Amino acid sequence: MSNKNFETEAIRTQVERTDFLEHSAPLYLTSSFLFEDAEDMRASFAEEKEKNIYSRFTNPNTSEFVDKICKMEGAEAGYSFATGMAAVFSTFAALLNSGDHIVSCRSVFGSTHALFTKFLPKWNIETSYFKVDETDKLESLIQPNTKVLYAETPTNPGVDILDLELLGKIAKKHNLILIIDNCFATPYLQQPIGFGADLVIHSATKLIDGQGRVLGGVTVGRADLIREIYLFARNTGPALSPFNAWVLSKSLETLAVRVDRHCENALKVAEFLEKHDKVEWVKYPFLKSHPKHEIAKKQMKAGGSIVAFEIKGGIAAGRKFLDAIKMCSLSANLGDTRTIVTHPASTTHSKLSEEDRNEVGISAGLVRVSVGLETVADVLNDLDQALNS
Ligand SMILES: *Cc1c(COP(=O)(O)O)cnc(C)c1O
């Protein structure tokens, strides 16, 4: 499934301009909007007309950002949030009731996992997990009260791939709401709605901004579900700021060209690492050696910007590698113009037991590289000298 007019939609989708007819979208830094008279105010609150009332509900800048993402993802409607996690939380909080059940892949973003294990159970919402390579067991986890099927693909940080078509079929058969976190792929590389997803979530903080500046999130998909999410968000206040929406809208105009180069560089990094004698194995969706390479090719336009590899020598070698890095950044973000390296076992996931880490596919020597847009030879040189140190 691919959107043939992707670049055009990213660039030409826009909200109405002011009387100045700005070519580039102006920034609407206003918390509220005026009404003409009592009748205009009544009709606006009654939702008899589409009108901006208050920026906690909607704002021209957030509307433009959401419209663009909807067109790129092939979605009916959407809503934008202050962060990716605000999008994830609000989506679940809006759609689930006490007693509902979620089936999720175990390899999900750390804070999403914390939401499932620490917070949703407070409202009597439980989650059952399947491992990335155990989708054959997925259906056995579905209960009469299961409402949502949730997954990310590619996964963070293991860069595993889940078969979207298969998830779409299972969700349809059991009447579940299929929610896909499409953050790693971006709407440019993969459009899950075409495979049966009901909702797609992005952390816009990552490749959508792509320059490490602002936080943001968005949920798009079926209009009836987005309506519930909108009503929840409008009353609870996780809205995206107009400024960040303006930044993100601009970023979408260059998403395709940026992501093309990210993928080109990442493939070169993956091929280089695969031949390196300090490297045990490499995982990148568009390497033939990836266990789900065929599925990746079916659902993604290219392999993405993230490469995972196993350094020989486990935890100690991973730490030594980070210390030897000269140019690349040690940072928690990903999808930035600057290449970022992390070693989850000694950093983000150091509190987990070895068994729990293996459960989510984080081995002792796993290194995640978010390949940036620098001259790729400079990235390769830095990785090479750090591996050989
Ligand atoms: C970063 C990330 C999130 C959370 O997004 P924030 O903008 O940091 O709140 C969710 N899912 C994935 C896959 C991510 O990488």
Side-chain angles (χ1 to χ4, degrees):
M1 291 289 159
S2 74
N3 175 351
K4 285 205 265 350
N5 304 104
F6 189 93
E7 286 87 346
T8 309
E9 309 279 28
I11 290 166
R12 291 280 168 187
T13 301
Q14 60 175 49
V15 291
E16 226 172 283
R17 299 304 194 230
T18 73
D19 290 345
F20 290 118
L21 297 180
E22 307 83 358
H23 191 196
S24 173
L27 177 52
Y28 293 92
L29 274 186
T30 179
S31 36
S32 67
F33 299 84
L34 294 170
F35 301 101
E36 307 277 356
D37 51 30
E39 172 52 24
D40 182 33
M41 195 163 184
R42 183 205 63 77
S44 299
F45 273 93
E47 295 186 71
E48 284 167 18
K49 50 166 92 171
E50 236 179 75
K51 197 170 161 11
N52 293 299
I53 297 174
Y54 190 58
S55 289
R56 167 150 51 78
F57 310 172
T58 59
N59 169 286
N61 292 118
T62 60
S63 297
E64 180 168 295
F65 172 62
V66 170
D67 287 354
K68 284 183 191 227
I69 297 280
C70 284
K71 292 215 173 127
M72 293 167 160
E73 288 284 5
E76 293 170 358
Y79 193 76
S80 59
F81 299 89
T83 66
M85 282 321 299
V88 174
F89 172 67
S90 302
T91 300
F92 282 108
L95 299 178
L96 297 186
N97 295 313
S98 173
D100 285 343
H101 175 250
I102 301 164
V103 171
S104 170
C105 179
R106 179 60 189 86
S107 299
V108 289
F109 187 66
S111 295
T112 305
H113 186 247
L115 178 66
F116 291 159
T117 52
K118 295 195 173 84
F119 301 106
L120 292 182
K122 295 207 291 187
W123 297 292
N124 192 26
I125 296 165
E126 300 292 337
T127 305
S128 303
Y129 302 101
F130 62 93
K131 287 200 211 168
V132 274
D133 53 359
E134 290 182 347
T135 42
D136 53 328
K137 297 199 183 130
L138 193 171
E139 280 189 276
S140 68
L141 300 173
I142 297 170
Q143 307 172 5
N145 59 341
T146 306
K147 197 156 171 196
V148 166
L149 177 57
Y150 187 85
E152 295 171 11
T153 181
T155 62
N156 181 17
V159 201
D160 285 304
I161 297 288
L162 286 161
D163 186 342
L164 287 173
E165 194 179 341
L166 175 73
L167 297 183
K169 280 189 186 138
I170 294 173
K172 191 158 186 219
K173 180 172 158 201
H174 296 273
N175 199 23
L176 308 178
I177 300 170
L178 177 60
I179 307 178
I180 300 294
D181 181 333
N182 202 26
C183 172
F184 267 38
T186 79
Y188 176 56
L189 297 181
Q190 172 175 282
Q191 291 147 7
I193 290 171
F195 295 98
D198 298 289
L199 293 171
V200 172
I201 298 181
H202 284 282
S203 165
T205 313
K206 312 295 168 53
L207 287 139
I208 289 178
D209 173 35
Q211 289 145 87
R213 301 166 299 185
V214 300
L215 296 159
V218 65
T219 302
V220 299
R222 261 170 54 192
D224 59 327
L225 302 175
I226 293 294
R227 174 74 185 159
E228 296 301 314
I229 295 165
Y230 165 69
L231 291 176
F232 176 83
R234 166 180 167 139
N235 289 297
T236 56
L240 179 64
S241 88
F243 179 77
N244 287 5
W246 177 82
V247 170
L248 293 168
S249 247
K250 291 274 137 222
S251 296
L252 285 178
E253 296 177 15
T254 58
L255 183 71
V257 288
R258 285 188 287 109
V259 172
D260 274 341
R261 181 62 69 84
H262 275 291
C263 295
E264 203 181 292
N265 285 358
L267 183 59
K268 284 183 188 148
V269 167
E271 286 169 349
F272 164 81
L273 290 169
E274 203 163 40
K275 291 194 205 99
H276 204 287
D277 62 4
K278 298 282 164 51
V279 172
E280 197 78 51
W281 51 257
V282 180
K283 234 188 226 175
Y284 183 70
F286 270 45
L287 278 184
K288 282 210 180 70
S289 58
H290 193 289
K292 302 277 174 61
H293 178 60
E294 291 307 317
I295 293 168
K297 277 201 309 192
K298 180 179 71 174
Q299 63 197 31
M300 296 174 77
K301 191 178 157 79
S305 65
I306 314 292
V307 180
F309 72 92
E310 180 76 10
I311 191 168
K312 288 183 184 163
I315 301 244
R319 286 183 55 106
K320 210 169 146 214
F321 172 77
L322 287 194
D323 280 337
I325 283 288
K326 289 195 176 121
M327 179 191 78
C328 299
S329 314
L330 311 187
S331 176
N333 197 21
L334 62 90
D336 195 299
T337 53
R338 291 154 287 203
T339 298
I340 296 169
V341 294
T342 55
H343 176 236
S346 73
T347 58
T348 45
H349 295 72
S350 62
K351 284 197 194 119
L352 296 186
S353 67
E354 195 179 333
E355 197 189 346
D356 285 347
R357 277 203 302 270
N358 286 336
E359 181 93 353
V360 271
I362 296 171
S363 41
L366 183 80
V367 175
R368 185 187 77 188
V369 188
S370 166
V371 181
L373 302 181
E374 303 98 335
T375 308
V376 71
D378 292 328
V379 177
L380 298 180
N381 281 340
D382 195 22
L383 297 176
D384 190 37
Q385 66 79 24
L387 282 167
N388 293 330
S389 73

